[in-house]
Amino acid sequence: MHLQSNTRIRRDWIIYGLIVLLFSAIFAKAFHVQILEADFLQSEGNKRQIRSLEIPAPRGEIYDRNGKVLALSTPIDSIWVDPKILSFYLDPAQQQAQLLKENLTTQQVAKRKALIDAKYLAYQQMLKLLNVSEETFTRQVLAKKNRRFMYVERGVLPELSAQIEDLDVPGLYVQNQYKRYYPAGEVVGHLIGFTNIDDTGIAGIEKTYDDWLSGHAGKKQIIKDRAGRVIEFVKDIEPAEPGQPLVLSIDEDLQFFLYHALKKAFIRHQAQSIMSVILDAQTGEVLAMVSLPGFNPNDRSQLTGNRLRNRVIADRIEPGSTVKPFIVAKALDLGVLHLDDEIDTRPGSLRIQGQRITDTRNHGVITPGEVIKLSSNVGASKIAFKMTPQQEWQMYHDVGFGQDLGLFLPGETLGFIRPATEWQKIDQASASFGYGFNINLMQLAQAYLIFANEGKIKPVSLLKLNKVPEGTQVVSKESAQAVLGMMEKVAARKGTAPQANIEGYRVAGKTGTVHRTKIGGYEQNKYISLFAGIVPVSNPKYIMVTAINEPSRGIYYGGKVAAPVFHEVMQEALRLNNIPPDEVLEEGAP
């Protein structure tokens, strides 16, 4: 009896001991979890519920000089799915395996199948709203069923994405973004450029000033449920910072007039391409810049091929006779030429090193002013020979030919002029009437600033300036003013560009007609037609330079093809900005 009692007592103590050990272990585990690892476990739990959501930031707006919007960011969404979640609802085999695994009752199976069918119907509605092929997309999802990310559609309007989100498709997410929109479309296409699908600038102003225009995305802390849906915003971690706005020198109204005038000329002359630029004659600001063929930056199907080329800064051209005013100005400035000098151009041709230089006809003995008015190649060559090759080359260098414009636009070409030490006599003659070297059209427009600014060259700018640049003296005030007067005769009745004349205003300009280059020489029946003009002469406001590549309707002289475009656009520009007339009646007029 005593033995049984002792055995029972020992058993009780063992049981008590085990109970104490059990509670001690539970207490120790609770202490470890609640105290020692509380922060770690809380962090791990948050990782499964709390997320950081990126808040997109819009790019800065781009404005013209008068505050009109040229580019802005509009809210847009991207729709994406988690294939690992969605594939279950698209794959009957997966569904069957999962239902068998869960060992459900017949009633529960029926409920699950009804839910699956409802979600599949929502999936079909989503694809229909997005106009996406169900067969193709379903095949893609099932092929990537082990992945966690796949785009359905990008660039979806918020109104549509809200409808899609309400469908509650399993594994579907809406990502808020911004898309660039260009109100003026093709009118500013080459200048403003465009962004890629990730809203990064890849052309034009958008690329050049991408760092300035780009916003800085913010972050929010959110809580998601097991299905991955946002159920609560916790706090802002970092606010989104919109990009900085940019004010350009461009005048949208002038841009519009220039675009439509070029479009008409492009069609009328069946040209290969056409380009033009307008500068503020006093500040060097670019007021308008257009080249065709063009593209609409809002239509991504157009953002390919040669039409993206901003020809004003990307095409190399030989400037032809538009450079003759610089030759005359330099010779006057050096004192090797005087206004009343006589230049013998008879018999209308000149042979140099076996090469024959010709004029359109025999102009006889003419003055420097008539060399420009009649566009005599022989006369320009003889004036150039009064200088050294280095002096002629230096003039072109000083006005910016073959040099960086400082605009930093993608695709800019510098052009090329061989050093004067490599020139032969025929090279010096050819350069005097714009052959043997190449530049871009913007460089030519900039060079003409010297005639509007008393001999000073100024930098060109695509940004609106608050202060007029001082400029660098290239030739004397007297030489520049004298040549400006000579160019005024070009737009007169007996000049080479009377169609550039604008009633009530004094117009100065110079025509150019050059053969298209080819490997080893020039095309005989393909031309580039040019006109560079300044208006009004008494107080220059605008410089406009236009080049038409390969007009094919039988008319190709710059005065006949490019000068009328100057007339049309500048007439509107003068009216639009209320520039007072400055025409002086000819002697003897009533």
Side-chain angles (χ1 to χ4, degrees):
M1 187 73 178
H2 180 71
L3 182 60
Q4 290 178 347
S5 177
N6 287 340
T7 301
R8 188 168 57 249
I9 291 171
R10 282 198 302 272
R11 187 172 63 231
D12 291 344
W13 276 107
I14 290 172
I15 292 172
Y16 293 150
L18 290 173
I19 292 172
V20 170
L21 286 173
L22 178 62
F23 276 99
S24 296
I26 292 172
F27 177 78
K29 185 64 177 177
F31 179 81
H32 182 76
V33 170
Q34 297 292 329
I35 305 300
L36 299 181
E37 291 195 344
D39 291 340
F40 170 76
L41 293 173
Q42 181 67 46
S43 173
E44 290 299 301
N46 287 344
K47 286 179 182 177
R48 287 155 178 78
Q49 293 187 31
I50 298 178
R51 297 284 190 273
S52 290
L53 179 67
E54 185 175 277
I55 307 301
R59 288 173 71 84
E61 296 86 357
I62 301 177
Y63 298 96
D64 87 333
R65 65 187 302 107
N66 300 312
K68 295 181 180 178
V69 179
L70 299 177
L72 71 156
S73 292
T74 58
I76 207 77
D77 294 329
S78 288
I79 310 294
W80 63 277
V81 295
D82 182 336
K84 195 165 187 178
I85 295 174
L86 181 59
S87 62
F88 172 78
Y89 297 87
L90 310 182
D91 186 357
Q94 279 193 60
Q95 296 163 16
Q96 186 66 27
Q98 183 64 29
L99 291 175
L100 290 172
K101 184 179 178 182
E102 293 178 0
N103 196 25
L104 302 173
T105 66
T106 303
Q107 188 176 7
Q108 288 173 326
V109 169
K111 286 184 178 180
R112 286 294 302 277
K113 285 186 174 180
L115 176 62
I116 291 170
D117 290 343
K119 295 300 182 183
Y120 185 74
L121 180 60
Y123 166 76
Q124 290 178 310
Q125 290 176 312
M126 172 200 72
L127 296 180
K128 187 174 182 181
L129 286 171
L130 293 173
N131 197 27
V132 173
S133 167
E134 180 183 340
E135 181 183 353
T136 302
F137 189 72
T138 299
R139 187 168 58 248
Q140 292 172 347
V141 172
L142 294 176
K144 300 177 180 179
K145 62 184 179 182
N146 293 320
R147 299 189 183 181
R148 305 308 303 261
F149 182 92
M150 179 177 167
Y151 276 119
V152 184
E153 192 69 52
R154 305 183 74 177
V156 180
L157 293 175
E159 296 81 2
L160 179 56
S161 62
Q163 293 180 50
I164 292 169
E165 202 166 16
D166 287 342
L167 294 173
D168 198 23
V169 176
L172 180 137
Y173 302 90
V174 175
Q175 181 179 350
N176 303 125
Q177 295 176 320
Y178 285 94
K179 179 185 178 182
R180 212 58 163 157
Y181 176 66
Y182 307 95
E186 187 173 332
V187 173
V188 296
H190 287 108
L191 172 64
I192 302 299
F194 51 90
T195 60
N196 63 15
I197 199 165
D198 294 315
D199 215 26
T200 300
I202 57 173
I205 291 291
E206 292 278 26
K207 182 175 182 178
T208 302
Y209 293 95
D210 186 60
D211 289 343
W212 178 264
L213 293 167
S214 293
H216 180 70
K219 290 183 180 179
K220 274 184 182 292
Q221 200 173 68
I222 59 171
I223 296 178
K224 289 187 175 183
D225 63 12
R226 292 182 63 187
R229 293 170 298 200
V230 176
I231 59 174
E232 184 181 347
F233 286 93
V234 179
K235 64 179 179 180
D236 286 326
I237 300 174
E238 186 179 351
E241 296 180 8
Q244 299 294 317
L246 192 66
V247 180
L248 302 184
S249 58
I250 296 299
D251 183 319
E252 188 189 38
D253 292 329
L254 275 185
Q255 184 82 8
F256 178 85
F257 290 136
L258 181 59
Y259 170 82
H260 284 281
L262 291 187
K263 194 83 170 180
K264 286 189 286 185
F266 183 61
I267 295 169
R268 182 186 306 122
H269 297 289
Q270 293 294 291
Q272 288 295 311
S273 60
I274 187 169
M275 49 187 162
S276 186
V277 59
I278 301 172
L279 301 183
D280 184 305
Q282 299 302 315
T283 67
E285 293 169 294
V286 180
L287 300 177
M289 178 168 60
V290 176
S291 58
L292 295 172
F295 64 94
N296 184 347
N298 297 308
D299 182 356
R300 293 204 169 271
S301 68
Q302 296 186 20
L303 305 186
T304 58
N306 207 32
R307 66 196 307 172
L308 299 182
R309 189 177 181 85
N310 184 353
R311 298 176 182 278
V312 173
I313 50 99
D315 275 13
R316 293 183 177 188
I317 60 171
E318 289 183 316
S321 296
T322 58
V323 302
K324 288 172 181 172
F326 302 107
I327 295 300
V328 174
K330 184 67 174 179
L332 288 172
D333 205 52
L334 292 171
V336 298
L337 182 71
H338 302 90
L339 295 177
D340 56 356
D341 282 355
E342 293 186 339
I343 299 160
D344 190 355
T345 67
R346 294 173 296 185
S349 64
L350 182 66
R351 188 168 291 276
I352 304 171
Q353 294 181 306
Q355 300 289 326
R356 187 166 177 263
I357 294 170
T358 62
D359 286 338
T360 54
R361 62 182 179 85
N362 182 4
H363 298 302
V365 179
I366 56 178
T367 64
E370 289 173 318
V371 169
I372 291 177
K373 176 183 177 181
L374 302 173
S375 199
S376 169
N377 293 338
V378 175
S381 299
K382 289 193 171 183
I383 292 174
F385 290 150
K386 294 177 180 288
M387 300 181 277
T388 67
Q390 181 60 41
Q391 288 170 331
E392 185 178 347
W393 180 92
Q394 191 65 48
M395 178 63 180
Y396 289 155
H397 178 271
D398 290 345
V399 295
F401 289 176
Q403 297 178 65
D404 191 343
L405 290 160
L407 298 177
F408 307 109
L409 286 175
E412 179 185 338
T413 180
L414 302 184
F416 179 72
I417 306 179
R418 286 188 297 116
T421 52
E422 298 179 10
W423 284 11
Q424 298 183 37
K425 194 169 184 180
I426 185 60
D427 298 317
Q428 187 179 5
S430 297
S432 73
F433 50 88
Y435 277 83
F437 66 94
N438 53 63
I439 59 176
N440 65 47
L441 198 70
M442 184 69 80
Q443 290 173 345
L444 183 60
Q446 181 189 25
Y448 267 75
L449 285 167
I450 70 168
F451 302 118
N453 291 277
E454 300 180 339
K456 290 182 179 180
I457 191 71
K458 296 185 177 184
V460 289
S461 175
L462 279 168
L463 301 181
K464 186 178 181 180
L465 301 178
N466 296 318
K467 184 180 179 182
V468 178
E470 178 60 31
T472 303
Q473 202 76 41
V474 174
V475 294
S476 67
K477 172 184 175 181
E478 292 74 20
S479 297
Q481 291 287 75
V483 173
L484 184 64
M486 296 176 190
M487 288 194 293
E488 196 173 351
K489 297 293 193 290
V490 172
R493 186 168 57 87
K494 293 184 179 181
T496 55
Q499 293 185 54
N501 187 42
I502 300 171
E503 186 177 355
Y505 294 90
R506 296 169 61 193
V507 174
K510 185 68 191 78
T511 57
T513 307
V514 294
H515 288 275
R516 287 281 296 165
T517 57
K518 66 176 182 179
I519 297 174
Y522 293 91
E523 299 277 3
Q524 287 305 306
N525 298 307
K526 294 182 179 180
Y527 302 89
I528 297 178
S529 308
L530 300 106
F531 182 78
I534 300 172
V535 66
V537 170
S538 60
N539 183 23
K541 174 62 179 174
Y542 300 113
I543 292 172
M544 177 177 167
V545 183
T546 302
I548 301 177
N549 179 25
E550 294 187 35
S552 59
R553 286 289 183 85
I555 304 173
Y556 53 84
Y557 285 114
K560 299 287 187 182
V561 176
V565 180
F566 173 90
H567 168 88
E568 181 178 349
V569 177
M570 287 294 98
Q571 185 170 251
E572 288 292 339
L574 295 165
R575 177 192 62 79
L576 184 69
N577 289 286
N578 296 314
I579 306 299
D582 69 335
E583 185 177 37
V584 177
L585 293 175
E586 294 183 6
E587 193 173 328

